[in-house]
Amino acid sequence: MAILDRPGYRAGMVLLVAALVLAPVWLGRFIFLLNTIGIFAIGACGLTLLTGLTGQISLGHAAFMALGAYGSAALARAGLPVPLAMVGATALTCAGGMVVGLPSLRIKGLYLAIATLAFQFLTEYALIHATGGVGALSVPPLGVGRWVVRTEVQFYYLLLCVWLLAGAALANLARSRVGLVWMAIRDRDYAAQVLGIPLLHYKALAFGLAAAYAGLAGSLWAHYQRLITTEQFTVGASIDYVAMVVIGGLTSIWGAHLGAAFVVALSQGLKIATPALTAVVPAFAKVVIPLREVLFGTVLIALLIWEPGGLAMLLRKLKRKVDLWPFAY
Amino acid sequence: MIEFAASGLLNGVAVGSIYALIALGFALLYKSTRILNLAHGELVLFGGYLAIALAQVLPFPLAVTVTLLAAAALGFAVERAIMRPLFGQPLLSVVIVTLALGYIVRGAMVGIWGGSTRNFPPVLPAGVVRVAGIPLQAVGVYSAATAAVLLGAFWLFFRYTLVGISMRAAANEQLTASTLGVSLRRVFAYAWAFAATAGAVGGILLGLWLGVNFALAHVGLKALAAVILGGLDSIPGAIVGGLAIGVVETVVGGYIDAHVIYGFKDITPFVVILLVLLVRPYGLFGTEHIERL
């Protein structure tokens, strides 16, 4: 718990966990919001690891999520118990991520971003063809034997455990030897190599783990939605992921969670507000999706210009203010 | 078979010349500002949508002129409002900013004009033209001819005008150019205006041919494949790449589409991108990047 270095923050953390545990009480029927946020936060953790810590830009994160979702669905439909299918799909995506990451030795920066973008489109195409042109697949619910998750609240508690574990794993990974190596690669990979770091090993590891996070998120998403289509994993979703980690704060371990909460709350909030607003302004229903895109773009640009550290940096600044209060220095 | 290949070749060159024009905007912007504009497809979309909306109320040539001026203004505005504050920021920020810009432009276009396909009023003669016995769509031939003329005009512009020369100078060696009195800010602004205009022209030409809907934004990705193939910072490369992508897409993609698996044509550009990146990341004519500590 050395990350939480002050009693106040420890109390805050306890409060946060308590609020999350008691969420079904105070959120009521809106608990699906937290379910969605949790799943995307797990996926975004992977992108924080890959882009924030290791400095490899990926515009194909949703493709890994799709691999996890379709893999898990296929394994579960083949008769494997669902938890095993999820583990299998995550491992599969991890291996896939390593393979996709291999070219990152030769191509980097912009070119890598473009290559992952191409990977995203090819995966979409392959999935549509593999599922017979529609891309839709029904998925069995989460559960073991006769015990099956039926309600949103049951799913929420399962998800919460996975979410906390995934977040804690990332936080600790970032502080470990491996995390430090990744940061060295991010800052200058040639220099890191000169210092004796095997680039292939660590870049492949970063891609593999990032893909595993996305795959886990994908398989959770599949068993949560019960019906998956390729439309859920388009390049737009990939860019949403990038938006999440940037809005949340790229190099912060809290970034993925804050960003996922922000992005999901914004788009779901628009969706929830649509009926009420349509009653007043009938044209609103037609522009809600374009409006979401415009809002997203504007928030992203504003943040990148004025606060490149994202929400996590804003939070840290607030923390500093509180620490130093009532003296400014 | 021969006829299929020949007609594919001609059609490919026709559509490829439009891709080349769009790719030129890409390459020039990258060459002079080191920014890869992932919103380029949305600039194409912008040109198509605006021109079609204006063509409903204005005579066609006037609508095109206004659209091009609006595109140039958009380019200037983007450079001034978004890119200048981000000067010197890490690569990722710049990439994401262009993505976000694409979101905004696409959202605004679809929000204002809706997502269904619209068509220009018939300004170009319809029907079929035969070139050496091979039937081609007349609209395609005229669009391709226009694209070729514009490519020539752009070449003259860079060769002989002061702005064009200073842009080439800055693209070649930024620091030296700026010591010799080239205003880099102005060059960056012109580069953005130029990229937006080239995109808009491409949007209008493709719109005349295929109609305008939001799928037009994907053309930006085909132009991306073209510049990757030609080399990101090479202007002749963009033209060769554009023609090559047009031909590969029509001939190879069309063949696989018809005989092997359906829908392959749409992803040909990405297969090309992956192959080029794996074999020759700097493209056919791009400068090879050598890294030193």
Side-chain angles (χ1 to χ4, degrees):
Chain A
M1 290 305 257
I3 305 173
L4 308 167
D5 47 3
R6 280 157 183 270
Y9 303 152
R10 283 183 198 178
M13 187 72 191
V14 170
L15 214 67
L16 180 67
V17 172
L20 283 176
V21 169
L22 295 177
V25 180
W26 57 270
L27 262 177
R29 69 191 177 87
F30 289 114
I31 190 72
F32 76 91
L33 273 178
L34 266 186
N35 279 336
T36 318
I37 290 174
I39 292 173
F40 277 98
I42 293 172
C45 277
L47 199 59
T48 297
L49 188 159
L50 187 63
T51 307
L53 294 184
T54 323
Q56 314 288 311
I57 304 175
S58 168
L59 297 177
H61 208 59
F64 291 125
M65 194 178 173
L67 285 184
Y70 277 91
S72 184
L75 288 176
R77 281 162 65 107
L80 222 61
V82 173
L84 270 185
M86 288 175 65
V87 172
T90 308
L92 212 74
T93 322
C94 179
M98 285 187 182
V99 173
V100 174
L102 286 184
S104 68
L105 263 188
R106 272 198 72 182
I107 50 180
K108 37 191 107 166
L110 264 182
Y111 291 93
L112 186 63
I114 297 166
T116 51
L117 190 67
F119 165 71
Q120 162 80 38
F121 279 104
L122 293 181
T123 310
E124 260 175 58
Y125 176 79
L127 282 177
I128 290 180
H129 276 269
T131 49
V134 280
L137 204 62
S138 72
V139 188
L142 198 57
V144 189
R146 297 211 345 253
W147 188 85
V148 172
V149 171
R150 290 191 196 285
T151 64
E152 294 262 359
V153 175
Q154 285 171 357
F155 186 88
Y156 173 70
Y157 281 114
L158 265 178
L159 174 70
L160 188 63
C161 299
V162 182
W163 184 7
L164 290 178
L165 275 177
L170 176 69
N172 281 310
L173 211 56
R175 299 185 306 140
S176 73
R177 193 191 123 77
V178 181
L180 296 178
V181 167
W182 281 335
M183 282 183 237
I185 293 177
R186 172 189 68 193
D187 293 338
R188 195 84 170 90
D189 58 353
Y190 266 42
Q193 195 174 24
V194 169
L195 291 176
I197 290 165
L199 283 191
L200 179 66
H201 184 122
Y202 282 99
K203 278 187 176 174
L205 184 67
F207 265 95
L209 279 180
Y213 269 108
L216 179 62
S219 65
L220 281 167
W221 180 255
H223 295 291
Y224 176 55
Q225 289 288 320
R226 304 286 311 281
L227 180 77
I228 47 174
T229 67
T230 44
E231 306 235 314
Q232 295 158 348
F233 311 105
T234 54
V235 64
S238 269
I239 297 172
D240 278 1
Y241 264 124
V242 177
M244 281 175 203
V245 293
V246 172
I247 290 175
L250 249 187
T251 52
S252 158
I253 50 162
W254 289 100
H257 308 283
L258 293 172
F262 183 89
V263 168
V264 172
L266 187 66
S267 46
Q268 295 289 340
L270 273 178
K271 233 181 248 172
I272 293 169
T274 305
L277 279 168
T278 314
V280 188
V281 191
F284 187 77
K286 275 172 82 179
V287 297
V288 61
I289 294 173
L291 185 68
R292 172 184 181 274
E293 295 201 336
V294 174
L295 264 178
F296 258 45
T298 316
V299 169
L300 265 177
I301 291 179
L303 263 178
L304 281 169
I305 291 178
W306 286 302
E307 187 51 82
L311 296 177
M313 185 56 89
L314 286 178
L315 207 64
R316 198 173 303 164
K317 282 183 177 166
L318 184 75
K319 236 159 90 172
R320 271 180 63 84
K321 281 242 164 68
V322 173
D323 280 350
L324 297 173
W325 193 83
F327 306 108
Y329 296 100
Chain B
M1 185 62 217
I2 299 281
E3 191 162 324
F4 175 83
S7 95
L9 201 66
L10 281 180
N11 275 310
V13 170
V15 72
S17 60
I18 303 177
Y19 293 165
L21 192 63
I22 299 168
L24 188 66
F26 242 126
L28 189 95
L29 189 63
Y30 182 77
K31 200 166 160 61
S32 45
T33 65
R34 297 286 137 186
I35 290 169
L36 183 74
N37 178 18
L38 287 178
H40 203 62
E42 276 73 16
L43 296 178
V44 175
L45 199 63
F46 175 80
Y49 267 103
L50 191 62
I52 224 163
L54 287 173
Q56 314 292 335
V57 289
L58 294 174
F60 185 71
L62 198 59
V64 170
T65 317
V66 174
T67 306
L68 297 188
L69 289 177
L74 177 72
F76 276 123
V78 165
E79 199 278 334
R80 185 70 195 84
I82 303 176
M83 292 303 159
R84 203 171 288 177
L86 280 174
F87 188 78
Q89 287 282 321
L91 180 68
L92 181 71
S93 312
V94 180
V95 170
I96 294 166
V97 154
T98 61
L99 280 174
L101 175 70
Y103 260 48
I104 294 178
V105 174
R106 191 178 51 229
M109 292 297 110
V110 174
I112 296 172
W113 285 302
S116 52
T117 305
R118 304 147 140 258
N119 284 304
F120 276 100
V123 283
L124 294 178
V128 173
V129 179
R130 285 185 178 274
V131 178
I134 292 154
L136 292 173
Q137 277 195 343
V139 186
V141 174
Y142 284 107
S143 313
T146 317
V149 169
L150 285 173
L151 284 174
F154 281 135
W155 182 75
L156 290 175
F157 172 80
F158 289 118
R159 187 81 180 73
Y160 292 110
T161 66
L162 199 58
V163 176
I165 293 170
S166 60
M167 282 174 82
R168 281 194 299 143
N172 212 16
E173 185 65 62
Q174 263 182 17
L175 199 62
T176 318
S178 85
T179 23
L180 291 175
V182 171
S183 160
L184 284 183
R185 283 186 175 182
R186 198 172 295 162
V187 165
F188 287 2
Y190 281 129
W192 269 98
F194 177 86
T197 319
V201 174
I204 295 170
L205 289 177
L206 282 170
L208 282 170
W209 194 348
L210 309 167
V212 175
N213 60 14
F214 62 92
L216 214 51
H218 282 296
V219 176
L221 296 168
K222 289 177 183 166
L224 181 63
V227 284
I228 293 280
L229 177 62
L232 255 183
D233 53 0
S234 161
I235 287 172
I239 295 169
V240 174
L243 292 174
I245 292 292
V247 171
V248 167
E249 181 192 60
T250 328
V251 178
V252 181
Y255 184 80
I256 295 180
D257 215 22
H259 297 285
V260 188
I261 35 175
Y262 177 72
F264 193 79
K265 202 177 163 198
D266 293 331
I267 58 158
T268 348
F270 302 108
V271 179
V272 173
I273 287 181
L274 277 185
L275 287 180
V276 174
L277 283 181
L278 287 178
V279 178
R280 204 179 154 91
Y282 41 90
L284 293 176
F285 304 106
T287 11
E288 199 169 345
H289 180 66
I290 297 168
E291 223 175 331
R292 288 201 185 86
L293 260 185

